[in-house]
């Protein structure tokens, strides 16, 4: 294929990345540096903003871990299912993605509300009501509900490529099913788990609608703080600085994750 043809085919994708990704980042960086590094010093030197960053990282880590723990068994079953069973499992998995995030969050608000489904069941059993709305627990459950499909699909795609003969060989050598799973299947599916973790973590770091609706005024994460700086305070420069800090934090976590994965390879 000629170089001119390759360049012509790549041009739409490159232009899209330049104007849809690189340009907004460059504009945001320029806006945040318009008055020097003072805004970044304000973020680093204020305990409140550091606490918001730590809360954002903690929330994303918990959601990623729960998505992995819950999603891996589902991915294993999905990868080994056939026919209509696989189609039904796949439809059940992606169903949350077909619903608008606002509608989905409102549904969880109804479930967790004082007069919601959970408290109605508890009242029927004679148990005291729970105030789950406006809590981190409600936010984590709602985020895992919508982000887990990205984890499952990433892991299932890797599991489907594994040769069934590997487990048979392990059994022939005397490995029990659990040991075969831990020493054969899990290491070979690590790439899918890492890919799913990156997707879930990145999407969770940028989530603010679910946090805003489920957490109310009792919770604060970086995306929600950026939204408030833009819509309430009207401070575009500080919002841009917070956005750059959010981007740098995500990239730093990805770098550490990549180093960890490479260090564990033989």
């Amino acid at each position: 294929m000629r170089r001119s043809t390759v360049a012509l085919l790549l041009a739409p994708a490159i232009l899209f990345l330049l104007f849809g990704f690189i340009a907004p980042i460059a504009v945001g960086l320029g806006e945040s540096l318009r008055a020097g590094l003072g805004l970044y010093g304000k973020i680093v030197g204020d305990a409140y903003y550091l606490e918001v960053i730590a809360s954002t990282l903690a929330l994303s880590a918990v959601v990623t871990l729960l998505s992995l723990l819950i999603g891996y068994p589902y991915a294993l079953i999905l990868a080994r299912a056939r026919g209509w069973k696989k189609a039904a499992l796949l439809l059940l998995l992606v169903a949350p993605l077909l619903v608008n995030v606002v509608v989905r969050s409102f549904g969880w608000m109804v479930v967790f509300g004082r007069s919601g489904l959970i408290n109605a069941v508890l009242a029927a059993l004679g148990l005291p009501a729970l105030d789950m709305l406006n809590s981190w627990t409600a936010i984590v459950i709602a985020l895992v509900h919508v982000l887990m499909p990205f984890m499952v699909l990433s892991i299932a795609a890797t599991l489907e490529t594994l040769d069934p003969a590997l487990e048979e060989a392990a059994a022939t050598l005397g490995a029990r099913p659990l040991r075969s799973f831990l020493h054969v299947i899990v290491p070979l599916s690590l790439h899918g788990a890492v890919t799913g973790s990156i997707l879930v973590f990145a999407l969770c770091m940028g989530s603010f609608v679910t946090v805003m609706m489920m957490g109310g005024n009792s919770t604060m994460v970086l995306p929600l703080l950026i939204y408030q700086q833009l819509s309430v305070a009207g401070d575009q420069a500080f919002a841009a600085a917070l956005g750059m800090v959010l981007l740098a934090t995500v990239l730093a976590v990805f770098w550490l994750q990549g180093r960890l994965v490479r260090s564990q390879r033989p």
Side-chain angles (χ1 to χ4, degrees):
M1 187 179 294
R2 296 180 179 179
R3 292 184 178 180
S4 58
T5 304
V6 173
L8 185 63
L9 293 174
L10 290 176
I14 293 175
L15 290 175
F16 178 79
L17 289 175
L18 286 176
F19 290 99
F21 181 70
I22 303 298
I25 292 178
V27 171
L29 181 61
E31 182 72 17
S32 67
L33 294 175
R34 188 174 55 182
L37 297 175
L39 295 177
Y40 292 97
K42 177 182 177 181
I43 296 172
V44 176
D46 194 315
Y48 172 74
Y49 298 121
L50 295 178
E51 182 180 351
V52 171
I53 295 174
S55 298
T56 307
L57 288 171
L59 175 65
S60 301
V62 170
V63 171
T64 302
L65 180 60
L66 289 177
S67 298
L68 178 61
L69 294 177
I70 300 173
Y72 196 100
Y74 196 104
L76 185 61
I77 296 173
L78 178 64
R80 297 183 176 181
R82 295 293 181 269
W84 68 268
K85 293 181 180 180
K86 185 168 188 152
L89 290 172
L90 189 59
L91 177 61
L92 182 64
L93 176 68
V94 301
L97 301 178
L98 304 178
V99 182
N100 182 272
V101 62
V102 176
V103 177
R104 185 173 56 248
S105 299
F106 182 77
W108 279 112
M109 292 176 64
V110 173
V111 172
F112 291 132
R114 295 290 299 179
S115 302
L117 177 62
I118 294 179
N119 283 326
V121 174
L122 293 176
L125 297 175
L127 299 175
L130 296 177
D131 188 12
M132 296 185 64
L133 199 59
N134 299 328
S135 68
W136 284 105
T137 301
I139 295 173
V140 168
I141 293 175
L143 287 175
V144 170
H145 173 247
V146 67
L147 296 181
M148 191 179 69
F150 297 98
M151 180 73 73
V152 173
L153 293 175
S154 299
I155 298 175
T158 303
L159 290 172
E160 288 177 346
T161 63
L162 300 183
D163 190 349
L166 295 174
E167 292 184 80
E168 297 176 2
T172 302
L173 295 174
R176 295 182 179 274
L178 179 59
R179 186 171 184 179
S180 175
F181 172 75
L182 294 177
H183 293 277
V184 178
I185 302 301
V186 171
L188 292 176
S189 62
L190 182 61
H191 177 73
V194 171
T195 302
S197 298
I198 290 175
L199 287 173
V200 172
F201 189 90
L203 291 172
C204 190
M205 285 287 289
S207 299
F208 79 95
V209 174
T210 300
V211 178
M212 181 173 59
M213 295 183 66
M214 302 294 295
N217 296 324
S218 61
T219 57
M220 181 60 66
V221 292
L222 263 178
L224 185 55
L225 182 60
I226 295 171
Y227 173 77
Q228 289 185 352
Q229 290 297 319
L230 284 173
S231 62
V232 179
D235 193 342
Q236 295 184 4
F238 190 52
L242 289 171
M244 293 300 104
V245 170
L246 176 60
L247 177 61
T249 303
V250 173
L251 293 178
V253 171
F254 288 170
W255 179 78
L256 291 174
Q257 191 176 39
R259 288 289 301 271
L260 179 62
V261 171
R262 286 193 296 269
S263 66
Q264 293 180 348
R265 289 177 180 175

